[in-house]
């Protein structure tokens, strides 16, 4: 299976998830955080999904899957423990829909890699279906290196980049700053505050 890693904006997308177990919950956790509009089709739900449904964060159709359930879906996720049902759901998905078959990645064109998120930093690891457990182990190892402090550092870089886009800086100055900010010394909160104060003064924004 030849796959290319991409970032997809799921905000507002109509997602239909077939199945209400733990695998479905893992998929929904990611998509709900991304702002997708999620409908779950399943006779029963995992406790985590029950809570989301009770809060109105997802829509629950308490029933077995029928082809009409995916008519308007932009994303279809087949996550039941029945391969035949998953295959049936995939077969009836709209032509333009992104499809994820949780039990057989080759049946679809959308995969969910192991994911590490710290602020604006996202790191994903995939083994192309060979060993999801290995991908999870690698993410765990990476999380020791890229912790919450590193996530705040990436958020700091984003704020600096927005300020450096202002006319107050020349193209050469922008390049120089963007390179300089990658140095180890800018990982500390004190240094970050100092830099942001300077950049805000240059752009005429109040330094807080």
């Amino acid at each position: 299976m030849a796959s290319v890693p991409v970032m997809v904006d799921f905000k507002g997308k109509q997602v239909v998830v077939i199945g209400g177990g733990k695998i479905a919950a893992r998929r929904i956790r990611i998509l709900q955080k991304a702002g997708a509009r999620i409908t779950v089709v399943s006779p029963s739900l995992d406790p985590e999904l029950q809570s989301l449904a009770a809060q109105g964060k997802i829509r629950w159709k308490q029933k077995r899957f029928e082809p009409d359930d995916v008519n308007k879906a932009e994303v279809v996720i087949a996550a039941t423990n029945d391969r035949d049902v998953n295959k049936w759901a995939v077969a009836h998905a709209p032509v333009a829909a992104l499809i994820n078959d949780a039990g057989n990645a080759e049946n679809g064109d959308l995969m969910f890699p192991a994911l590490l998120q710290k602020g604006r930093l996202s790191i994903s690891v995939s083994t192309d279906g060979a060993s999801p457990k290995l991908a999870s182990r690698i993410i765990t190892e990476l999380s020791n290196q890229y912790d919450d402090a590193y996530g705040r550092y990436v958020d700091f870089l984003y704020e600096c980049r927005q300020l450096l886009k202002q006319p107050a800086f020349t193209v050469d100055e922008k390049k120089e700053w963007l390179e300089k900010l990658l140095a180890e010394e800018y990982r500390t909160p004190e240094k970050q505050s100092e830099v942001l104060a300077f950049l805000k003064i240059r752009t005429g924004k109040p330094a807080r």
Side-chain angles (χ1 to χ4, degrees), residues 125-199:
V125 176
S126 172
T127 59
D128 235 355
S131 177
K133 288 185 179 296
L134 175 60
S136 295
R137 180 180 297 178
I138 293 172
I139 284 292
T140 299
E141 294 171 357
L142 289 172
S143 67
N144 295 324
Q145 179 178 356
Y146 300 102
D147 55 11
D148 290 339
Y150 207 98
R152 290 190 290 271
Y153 168 60
V154 175
D155 290 342
F156 156 74
L157 291 178
Y158 174 80
E159 190 172 357
C160 289
R161 186 177 178 85
Q162 301 313 303
L163 291 168
L164 288 166
K165 288 180 179 180
Q166 302 303 313
F169 298 94
T170 66
V171 172
D172 288 340
E173 284 180 314
K174 177 182 176 181
K175 288 181 178 178
E176 181 182 351
W177 269 108
L178 290 177
E179 182 66 32
K180 184 165 62 174
L181 292 173
L182 297 179
E184 187 76 27
E185 64 180 298
Y186 294 99
R187 304 278 179 84
T188 66
E190 295 77 17
K191 193 67 175 177
Q192 292 171 12
S193 296
E194 178 185 321
V195 171
L196 287 172
F198 170 77
L199 296 180

Side-chain angles (χ1 to χ4, degrees), residues 1-2 90 99-111 128-129:
M1 183 178 183
V90 168
I99 299 170
N100 172 249
D101 183 338
N104 187 351
E106 294 185 359
N107 283 343
D109 50 19
L110 175 66
M111 292 192 295
D128 235 355

Side-chain angles (χ1 to χ4, degrees), residues 33 41 185 190 200:
K33 185 177 180 181
V41 181
E185 64 180 298
E190 295 77 17
K200 287 177 179 178

